[in-house]
Every structure is written in structure tokens, then in C-alpha cells.
Amino acid sequence: MGEMILPNRESAVADGQFLARLQHVGKSFVSAGKRSEILSDVNIDIAPGEFVSVIGPSGSGKSTILNLLAGIDMPTSGSITYDGSRVRGVSKTIAYLTQHDSLLPWRTVAENVGVPLEIRNVPAPERARAVDGILAKVGLEGYGKHYPRQLSGGMQKRTMLARTLIYDPKTILMDEPFGPLDAQLKLALQAELLRLWTGTGKTIVFVTHDIAEAITLSDRVLVLSSQPTVIKHEERILIPRPRDVHEVRFSPHFEAHYRALWNAIELRREQAVA
């Protein structure tokens, strides 16, 4: 049915070459004179080309982990390395896609998608060719002159995805990008994401509340426990690739993965109550 899972990770473990590493990372904030610890001794290794999902309750630090990986924020303790160097700021090879609409309403689809290349001073003719190419890849060919308000929710998400991919980032951080969408549209965009990711060698770190979505997309799923956050459970997904998002739930592994992740989340809740 497909290649074995996590070939990149297994080789990375063998030779010690990870793309990103969080080692004993802690993060705390001070508000109104009170210190709140969000992350505590978090350790995560991510291999090149790996698709890792992170699930956990609201406030458990999922977005904080993405912000630290992106270099938007710095840890209070521990270290974060990316591509062999310590993270000290924003990397040009990391893209960050959130669930919030960040399209510029006064710009057309093509102009929105071309923003990253414009920032990099790519000449207009080259920029236009790149925009046309990526719009075709995400199914928006012919919509370049439309404005965001003229698009459906799904098309707006495709536009944001196109803008994320246009400068060919090595790593993509995704913070619940499909969260507010209806189930049918979410499946369509999951399929689109897998199609665009497969064979590229890009690394994706994907935050979601949806266990089924995490299983469908990922090589590994990390479960966070809050107050403060630690990694409570790691689930390696044994469903072969390529995956059909409509058929993956019928895999003999799917139910076992779902139960393991649900039990890990429920255990966290029980411990929190206790």
C-alpha cells in the first residue's frame, strides 16, 4: 500500500541528524507580577521530511511550541536548534500558517500570494510566473484577479496555503489551519495538503484539536499535558502512505491509534482533576 513509515526519522535517529530539536525547553511568562510556567522540560526531535502533529487542550502550549520553533519567541530555559544552528531569530526557511485569516483585503489573490517574493525583491515577471504556477497547484487557476471577499472559505485557505508554499520553505508550521471549517471542506483540504507535501521532503509541524485529523496526516502525534506542558505521549502512526483521507479511517490501525491518543488525553484530564 505504500512505503514504510518514518524512513527519514529512522535514519535521523541512527546518525543523530535531526532538523529541529527542543531540548529541556521551558517557557514562562510574567503577567501582573505573577509568573506562569507554560512549558516545562519539553523534549522534541523532528527529522527532515517528517509530518508531526501536536494535540492537547487549549492553553497547553501548542502555539507556544510553534512560536519557539519559528524563532518568534525564545525559551526561558533549554535550547532549540534548527538545521544545525541554535534558534536565535526568525528563519527564512520556515513558513508559519495559522487558522486566522491574514489575507490583505485590498490585494487580489495573486498579489496576496506574491507577498513573500515581493519582500524578497524578486523581479515582477519572475514573481508573476511563480504565482501562476502555485495557484494552479492549489486549484486556484483563474482566480488570481479575485479579491479575498469574493472567495469561499476553502478558497481563502488555499490562497493562504499558496502564499505559504510559494517561496519553497524547508519547514511549514501549521496552527490549526483547518479548525473552523466544516467536515467536508476539512477533508478536501487535508487531501490537498497531503498531495502537495508528498515527495517534497518538507517537514511539517501541525497543531490540531482533532485526533482523527492528526492520525490521517501524520507520521507521529505528540500529546501535550498542561500546567505546565510536558510531552505525555507519543504515537507513531503505522498507516502506510500514500493515504486517502476518505479511506484512512477504515485502516486496521486507525482505531488502535485513536484509542491510544484518546486514552492519553483522558489520562491527562483525570490527572488534572486529581
Side-chain angles (χ1 to χ4, degrees):
M1 288 181 60
E3 63 193 69
M4 293 298 294
I5 300 303
L6 303 181
N8 291 325
R9 179 171 178 78
E10 299 304 339
S11 61
V13 170
D15 60 22
Q17 297 300 312
F18 292 99
L19 179 64
R21 303 194 80 181
L22 283 74
Q23 296 178 288
H24 306 293
V25 167
K27 180 63 181 178
S28 60
F29 298 92
V30 177
S31 178
K34 182 179 180 181
R35 180 175 295 275
S36 298
E37 190 175 18
I38 305 301
L39 305 180
S40 175
D41 196 29
V42 170
N43 295 277
I44 303 175
D45 294 328
I46 301 171
E50 194 175 13
F51 198 126
V52 179
S53 283
V54 182
I55 63 176
S58 296
S60 63
K62 300 186 298 297
S63 296
T64 300
I65 288 173
L66 293 190
N67 290 340
L68 293 172
L69 281 169
I72 296 172
D73 203 354
M74 294 293 119
T76 307
S77 60
S79 66
I80 302 173
T81 55
Y82 176 76
D83 206 12
S85 300
R86 189 155 183 163
V87 174
R88 301 187 185 278
V90 176
S91 170
K92 293 182 179 180
T93 67
I94 296 178
Y96 199 162
L97 181 62
T98 71
Q99 64 173 300
H100 304 295
D101 182 2
S102 58
L103 298 176
L104 304 175
W106 60 88
R107 285 192 165 213
T108 64
V109 167
E111 290 168 343
N112 267 286
V113 171
V115 164
L117 300 185
E118 189 176 338
I119 292 172
R120 288 164 174 76
N121 296 314
V122 174
E126 182 180 345
R127 192 164 70 237
R129 287 193 295 272
V131 168
D132 288 343
I134 197 67
L135 288 180
K137 283 185 177 180
V138 301
L140 289 176
E141 190 172 12
Y143 286 90
K145 294 183 179 180
H146 286 61
Y147 286 89
R149 66 180 180 274
Q150 298 173 306
L151 304 179
S152 67
M155 295 172 87
Q156 290 177 11
K157 290 293 183 183
R158 289 173 189 268
T159 302
M160 292 169 64
L161 183 58
R163 187 177 61 187
T164 300
L165 296 173
I166 194 167
Y167 65 95
D168 196 28
K170 180 181 291 187
T171 299
I172 303 172
L173 309 178
M174 308 184 81
D175 194 353
E176 299 192 70
F178 309 144
L181 303 176
D182 64 66
Q184 186 174 356
L185 183 53
K186 183 182 288 190
L187 282 175
L189 288 173
Q190 288 171 3
E192 192 76 9
L193 177 60
L194 286 181
R195 182 182 68 81
L196 292 168
W197 170 73
T198 299
T200 64
K202 296 185 186 303
T203 303
I204 294 181
V205 183
F206 190 97
V207 163
T208 180
H209 278 96
D210 187 334
I211 295 176
E213 179 173 62
I215 296 170
T216 298
L217 297 175
S218 310
D219 295 318
R220 280 189 303 146
V221 181
L222 306 178
V223 179
L224 303 187
S225 177
S226 59
Q227 300 175 356
T229 291
V230 295
I231 306 298
K232 295 296 292 183
H233 179 74
E234 173 185 314
E235 185 80 3
R236 295 196 180 193
I237 306 303
L238 302 178
I239 302 171
R241 297 190 187 276
R243 296 176 190 164
D244 183 328
V245 299
H246 300 284
E247 298 294 330
V248 70
R249 299 183 189 213
F250 300 106
S251 164
H253 296 292
F254 186 91
E255 183 177 354
H257 288 315
Y258 195 100
R259 287 182 180 274
L261 291 168
W262 179 255
N263 288 338
I265 293 173
E266 285 296 289
L267 176 62
R268 184 208 64 78
R269 288 175 179 161
E270 290 170 5
Q271 291 172 336
V273 171

